[in-house]
Amino acid sequence: AQSVTQPDIHITVSEGASLELRCNYSYGATPYLFWYVQSPGQGLQLLLKYFSGDTLVQGIKGFEAEFKRSQSSFNLRKPSVHWSDAAEYFCAVYGQNFVFGPGTRLSVLP
Amino acid sequence: GAVVSQHPSWVICKSGTSVKIECRSLDFQATTMFWYRQFPKQSLMLMATSNEGSKATYEQGVEKDKFLINHASLTLSTLTVTSAHPEDSSFYICSARWGNEKLFFGSGTQLSVL
């Protein structure tokens, strides 16, 4: 069975600081991997996805993620966080079906 | 932790028939539920937002008469694909909001229309 973990429930960073949100998955093959963001009162927005090819994926809003097969990880990064990045972030895996992680809430300090 | 149950996980139907998908919040009351659709190698597309006791709010381009959403209780929302056709074949997933913040997802339904 496939699963997704996001070890950090809540992360707080200062504006301008770098960010890394962790995501680990369990699946027998290479799944499709996604990062979504949900801002308060909004629906899900896709930040980026990985299907195959280059393991470093660029997304919208300055986000990137790196697929590491050996670690079964797909961590999301951003070099400089903006206050508008405060939201909840979900890692998702699509193998046999779609599985979302529990989410990481990001707070940004001014 | 909170659990959202989505049923069925897989359904195959003939063209012209209707299919109902259920989304239940098992241990919390969900004032808002969301329905998404995913095409192969695409991201999730929000179809509608469903609030308990009121009509669903559909996203632009989603046919209200085709995709009937009912949110009759705080723990159950249903999506009915009416007169399904092969182009409706897709992966449908629901999510339920707990309070004002936390969002939980169902496991999805793969619909195949023959």
Side-chain angles (χ1 to χ4, degrees):
Chain A
Q2 58 189 81
S3 65
V4 181
T5 56
Q6 292 178 248
D8 304 304
I9 297 173
H10 190 190
I11 285 182
T12 300
V13 299
S14 297
E15 190 169 17
S18 63
L19 171 70
E20 181 169 34
L21 302 182
R22 296 182 290 166
C23 172
N24 292 93
Y25 69 90
S26 173
Y27 184 60
T30 300
Y32 296 156
L33 297 161
F34 305 82
W35 273 100
Y36 288 89
V37 61
Q38 185 184 24
S39 299
Q42 312 251 342
L44 286 179
Q45 182 180 22
L46 178 68
L47 288 176
L48 46 79
K49 60 182 183 284
Y50 172 79
F51 290 155
S52 64
D54 193 346
T55 56
L56 184 62
V57 181
Q58 300 299 320
I60 62 171
K61 303 183 178 184
F63 285 93
E64 66 177 26
E66 186 171 11
F67 169 57
K68 292 186 177 180
R69 186 190 307 274
S70 61
Q71 299 177 16
S72 296
S73 69
F74 189 56
N75 294 347
L76 181 71
R77 300 193 295 250
K78 186 170 184 177
S80 178
V81 170
H82 189 263
W83 64 266
S84 61
D85 294 325
E88 185 143 23
Y89 293 79
F90 293 91
C91 178
V93 167
Y94 188 60
Q96 293 176 320
N97 52 34
F98 223 106
V99 177
F100 280 82
T104 297
R105 175 163 296 280
L106 173 66
S107 297
V108 181
L109 299 176
Chain B
V3 175
V4 173
S5 173
Q6 186 172 341
H7 177 81
S9 57
W10 186 276
V11 58
I12 301 174
C13 69
K14 292 183 179 180
S15 184
T17 61
S18 295
V19 174
K20 180 184 283 188
I21 303 170
E22 291 188 350
C23 182
R24 291 180 184 273
S25 56
L26 295 185
D27 54 0
F28 67 100
Q29 293 183 331
T31 52
T32 305
M33 289 188 174
F34 303 89
W35 286 96
Y36 299 86
R37 178 176 180 178
Q38 189 203 18
F39 296 96
K41 295 198 173 185
Q42 304 281 331
S43 67
L44 291 179
M45 180 191 77
L46 178 64
M47 298 175 66
T49 301
S50 166
N51 292 296
E52 185 267 338
S54 62
K55 291 183 179 180
T57 301
Y58 289 81
E59 296 299 304
Q60 190 173 8
V62 178
E63 299 176 60
K64 301 177 183 181
D65 296 332
K66 177 106 181 127
F67 299 100
L68 299 179
I69 292 174
N70 183 281
H71 193 161
S73 76
L74 285 171
T75 60
L76 175 65
S77 177
T78 60
L79 167 67
T80 301
V81 183
T82 62
S83 186
H85 291 282
E87 58 266 29
D88 299 324
S89 298
S90 190
F91 185 84
Y92 296 85
I93 194 166
C94 70
S95 66
R97 175 172 289 153
W98 180 32
N100 290 323
E101 298 183 351
K102 199 61 181 173
L103 195 65
F104 298 93
F105 292 88
S107 55
T109 299
Q110 183 67 52
L111 171 64
S112 296
V113 184
L114 303 179

